């Protein structure tokens, strides 16, 4: 906590912290574009978030909280690490690891494109058709059939 207070007080130019919600989506996306690493370590948030799609679209690694759906998705597509909620040391370790990876001449392979395909509007529409009609008439154009992805 003291480190976070120090960062908020000194405002280093290579760190953006905003302790309140950013209301404007365009502003939020602009800020995310300027970042090399995104942080989505939400507290007690069992759902997913559009931040994984945004991270994939911008090809930015993202840190998420352990124990929830976002962890499952972030790890499956290698979008970034998961840390225990509220664990500042683990978060700093994850930042150090991602910073080294981002600067590496051979960064870790991340499946940004696969995440976007699987979580696209086309796939959602196809899944809804299956639920409503009760069967699979045709696979969507952007299906993952035949692609190699990490095991779920």
């Amino acid at each position: 906590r003291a480190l976070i207070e120090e960062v908020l007080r000194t405002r280093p130019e290579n760190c953006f912290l905003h302790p309140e919600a950013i209301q404007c989506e365009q502003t939020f996306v602009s800020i995310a574009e300027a970042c090399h690493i995104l942080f989505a370590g939400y507290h007690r948030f069992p759902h997913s978030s559009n931040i994984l799609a945004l991270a994939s679209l911008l090809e930015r690694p993202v840190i998420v909280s352990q124990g929830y759906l976002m962890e499952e998705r972030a790890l499956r597509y290698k979008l970034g690490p998961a840390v225990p909620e509220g664990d500042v040391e683990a978060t700093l370790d994850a930042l150090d690891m991602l910073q080294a990876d981002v600067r590496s001449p051979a960064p870790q392979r991340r499946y940004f494109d696969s995440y976007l395909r699987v979580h696209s509007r086309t796939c959602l529409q196809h899944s809804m058709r299956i639920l409503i009609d009760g069967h699979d008439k045709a696979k969507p154009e952007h299906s993952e059939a035949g692609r190699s992805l990490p095991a779920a």
Side-chain angles (χ1 to χ4, degrees), residues 10 21 25 27 30 48 51 71 78 82 97 99 102 104 106 117 143-144 146:
T10 61
E25 185 176 351
T27 300
S30 295
S48 187
I51 196 74
E71 174 189 21
K78 298 184 179 183
M97 182 270 299
Q99 184 179 23
V102 166
S104 167
R117 260 195 309 281
S143 79
E144 286 297 77

Side-chain angles (χ1 to χ4, degrees), residues 32-69:
E33 283 179 308
C35 296
H36 297 282
I37 299 166
L38 303 179
F39 179 77
Y42 306 136
H43 289 255
R44 296 175 295 282
F45 188 76
H47 315 289
S48 187
S49 162
N50 286 339
I51 196 74
L52 296 179
L54 180 60
S56 295
L57 185 66
L58 299 175
E59 297 189 356
R60 304 289 196 272
V62 60
I63 298 170
V64 300
S65 291
Q66 287 180 348
Y68 300 109
L69 180 58

Side-chain angles (χ1 to χ4, degrees), residues 71-86:
E71 174 189 21
E72 177 187 320
R73 290 180 175 176
L75 296 181
R76 177 166 188 216
Y77 295 96
K78 298 184 179 183
L79 303 179
V83 297
E85 286 183 359

Side-chain angles (χ1 to χ4, degrees), residues 3-146:
L3 178 60
I4 292 171
E5 289 172 1
E6 176 69 15
V7 169
L8 285 171
R9 188 179 61 70
T10 61
R11 300 201 178 271
E13 68 180 66
N14 68 337
C15 186
F16 177 81
L17 294 174
H18 188 71
E20 298 173 12
I22 299 169
Q23 301 300 324
C24 174
E25 185 176 351
Q26 185 176 2
T27 300
F28 183 81
V29 171
S30 295
I31 291 167
E33 283 179 308
C35 296
H36 297 282
I37 299 166
L38 303 179
F39 179 77
Y42 306 136
H43 289 255
R44 296 175 295 282
F45 188 76
H47 315 289
S48 187
S49 162
N50 286 339
I51 196 74
L52 296 179
L54 180 60
S56 295
L57 185 66
L58 299 175
E59 297 189 356
R60 304 289 196 272
V62 60
I63 298 170
V64 300
S65 291
Q66 287 180 348
Y68 300 109
L69 180 58
M70 287 178 57
E71 174 189 21
E72 177 187 320
R73 290 180 175 176
L75 296 181
R76 177 166 188 216
Y77 295 96
K78 298 184 179 183
L79 303 179
V83 297
E85 286 183 359
D87 188 332
V88 175
E89 288 302 317
T91 302
L92 292 173
D93 289 344
L95 280 169
D96 286 342
M97 182 270 299
L98 287 174
Q99 184 179 23
D101 185 60
V102 166
R103 291 181 175 170
S104 167
Q108 177 182 353
R109 169 76 170 110
R110 301 190 190 281
Y111 294 90
F112 296 124
D113 54 341
S114 296
Y115 183 87
L116 289 173
R117 260 195 309 281
V118 170
H119 296 90
S120 70
R121 180 172 283 168
T122 302
C123 284
L124 175 62
Q125 290 169 339
H126 176 72
S127 296
M128 293 301 290
R129 246 184 263 118
I130 290 171
L131 285 172
I132 293 167
D133 297 342
H135 56 81
D136 185 357
K137 286 184 178 176
K139 297 218 184 285
E141 185 178 314
H142 300 292
S143 79
E144 286 297 77

